[in-house]
Amino acid sequence: MNRQLISWILGWVAILIGASMLMSLPWAFPAFGQVEYFDAKGFSAMLGSMALCGAAGAGLLYLGRRGRLMRKEAIAVVALSWLMATVLGAVPFWLSGAAMGRDGAGEPVRIGFFQGIFESASGFSGTGATIITDLEDPELMPRPILFWRSETHFLGGLGIMVLFVAILGLGSAGKVLMRTEITGPKQESPHTRTQRAAMIFASIFVGMNVVLTLLLLLEGMNLFDALCHAFGTIATGGFSTYNKSVEAFGNAGIEMTIVVFMILACTNFSLLYFLLVWKPGQLVGDVEVRVYLGILVAATALVAGVGIWHGDFHTFGEAVRYSLFQVVSIQTNTGFGTRDFDQWSSTSRAALILLMFIGGCAGSTSGSVKVIRYVLLTKILWLELEQ
């Protein structure tokens, strides 16, 4: 195994992660409307984290050397990149002294080593689980750190290697990295050049973030909340800036906008590309997309109907609104919430749990098993029965 090549690539990845932390710095200033004072604690923590990433990257580049990337090295690079991103992503939580919440005596409970690793891993992987109980107090959770927490969704949803290849290219090495990074059943790509494919994938991902941010701004969110919720939606991660998640806004327009983009984010990005080049037939004719949308419609109807029957909802409109949001949020593995569905009937809760094991389409930011595998399993079982 070419350890020098692995070190060289990891060095650039560390520098890329450090550079991405620049986006968190402006939120320390009062001019951005999130704090009434300059957040020196959050600002210095992000600067220190950037310096550490830069130093780690420089050291790895010094020890490394460019060479020909083979499959064995590619597997090592992808695995080590995610591990390194998790550790480096946890540094701002430690340096800032951010707290998870307050104890019974009202004292801050600081985020320690393992808690920081947990929050960082959850962000980069798009899991969305959190140990933070109070997101809204700037004294406990500095705004630059809260923004970085959501930004890990952006980086993880796009894929570190996809972003890396889009920027540096790396020729045939980039192709190996892309194949190793992208999970799920492989499909024929509509592009022949790896860097161009990575650029198109990244452009669709970033473009959806931009469009969703603008729509959320028009619907009344401030820029900070709009960006953070766009990151969590398109990456299907679910980190919010409020303790009550999307429920805190109490806005049906915001909820339905997020629903649309959660559905899009869990559609195969290759098919979204065909949609952009005016070939909608590729999207409409795809069996996975039809099954995916069919499951969402059927599950929403089931949860809404059962909810009305058991008195979980007071009106038909309320049933559709909250059932649709939770069904889409759960199946896409995003995890946003607008209601405490633990108070719903056992049938509705069981349906939502089952949806967690389905997920979205292959080639999307969704987690879980993916719809296409269930389609293939059903067809294989049917063929076996026929035989």
Side-chain angles (χ1 to χ4, degrees):
M1 184 175 289
N2 190 341
R3 292 182 176 84
Q4 286 185 312
L5 174 59
I6 294 173
S7 176
W8 183 82
I9 296 177
L10 290 178
W12 281 112
V13 171
I15 290 174
L16 183 65
I17 293 171
S20 66
M21 293 180 180
L22 277 169
M23 292 177 62
S24 300
L25 294 179
W27 306 106
F29 294 90
F32 281 79
Q34 295 305 308
V35 289
E36 298 178 355
Y37 52 87
F38 175 67
D39 194 338
K41 185 167 58 175
F43 189 83
S44 59
M46 294 309 303
L47 279 181
S49 302
M50 290 171 60
L52 182 61
C53 290
L60 289 168
L61 285 174
Y62 177 78
L63 296 174
R65 187 174 61 183
R66 188 166 184 165
R68 185 180 178 185
L69 185 71
M70 304 301 289
R71 180 170 174 79
K72 185 187 297 184
E73 285 80 9
I75 293 173
V77 164
V78 170
L80 292 174
S81 292
W82 285 105
L83 288 172
M84 183 173 66
T86 298
V87 175
L88 294 177
V91 173
F93 295 102
W94 306 333
L95 294 184
S96 66
M100 296 178 282
R102 297 185 185 275
D103 60 17
E107 294 298 320
V109 181
R110 303 297 176 187
I111 295 178
F113 176 82
F114 292 109
Q115 289 90 351
I117 289 288
F118 180 93
E119 203 71 16
S120 178
S122 180
F124 278 110
S125 65
T127 304
T130 182
I131 45 85
I132 300 173
T133 59
D134 191 346
L135 298 165
E136 300 173 20
D137 187 350
E139 290 292 329
L140 300 179
M141 182 57 57
R143 298 301 93 174
I145 308 303
L146 186 59
F147 187 85
W148 168 247
R149 175 176 175 266
S150 291
E151 193 184 344
T152 57
H153 274 342
F154 178 83
L155 294 173
L158 177 57
I160 295 172
M161 287 298 104
V162 173
L163 182 60
F164 185 72
V165 172
I167 294 174
L168 296 183
L170 299 179
S172 59
K175 188 174 182 179
V176 177
L177 282 174
M178 285 278 285
R179 284 179 175 175
T180 309
E181 165 81 345
I182 297 174
T183 60
K186 302 298 185 291
Q187 299 183 354
E188 287 295 322
S189 172
H191 325 291
T192 54
R193 294 179 55 193
T194 302
Q195 187 175 16
R196 181 169 179 263
M199 284 293 293
I200 290 174
F201 182 93
S203 297
I204 293 173
F205 183 87
V206 173
M208 286 200 294
N209 273 278
V210 171
V211 172
L212 178 55
T213 299
L214 293 175
L215 290 175
L216 294 177
L217 285 171
L218 292 174
E219 290 170 334
M221 278 195 189
N222 58 49
L223 182 59
F224 182 86
D225 290 335
L227 282 170
C228 289
H229 284 85
F231 292 162
T233 300
I234 305 304
T236 61
F239 276 164
S240 177
T241 54
Y242 292 92
N243 299 331
K244 288 189 174 182
S245 189
V246 179
E247 182 185 358
F249 300 101
N251 187 312
I254 287 175
E255 293 168 17
M256 293 305 105
T257 301
I258 290 176
V259 163
V260 170
F261 279 86
M262 284 192 292
I263 293 173
L264 287 175
C266 284
T267 303
N268 192 310
F269 274 46
S270 295
L271 297 176
L272 293 180
Y273 167 80
F274 285 120
L275 189 63
L276 290 174
V277 296
W278 302 104
K279 293 182 180 179
Q282 296 281 348
L283 178 65
V284 176
D286 187 79
V287 64
E288 184 183 23
V289 172
R290 295 201 304 270
V291 173
Y292 166 55
L293 295 177
I295 293 172
L296 291 176
V297 172
T300 300
L302 173 65
V303 173
V306 171
I308 291 174
W309 179 267
H310 286 276
D312 296 331
F313 310 113
H314 300 296
T315 65
F316 177 77
E318 184 182 280
V320 173
R321 173 183 172 182
Y322 296 122
S323 297
L324 176 61
F325 190 95
Q326 289 307 147
V327 163
V328 174
S329 179
I330 294 296
Q331 181 169 337
T332 59
N333 302 147
T334 305
F336 283 140
T338 53
R339 275 295 183 270
D340 182 8
F341 56 82
D342 193 43
Q343 304 301 317
W344 293 356
S345 67
S346 56
T347 303
S348 297
R349 283 180 286 149
L352 292 175
I353 290 174
L354 289 176
L355 290 175
M356 294 181 186
F357 294 91
I358 297 176
C361 301
S364 71
T365 59
S366 171
S368 198
V369 179
K370 305 288 197 309
V371 173
I372 189 63
R373 290 193 172 96
Y374 289 102
V375 173
L376 292 172
L377 176 62
T378 302
K379 289 187 174 184
I380 291 170
L381 289 175
W382 183 254
L383 287 173
E384 291 293 326
L385 286 171
E386 282 188 332
Q387 291 179 3

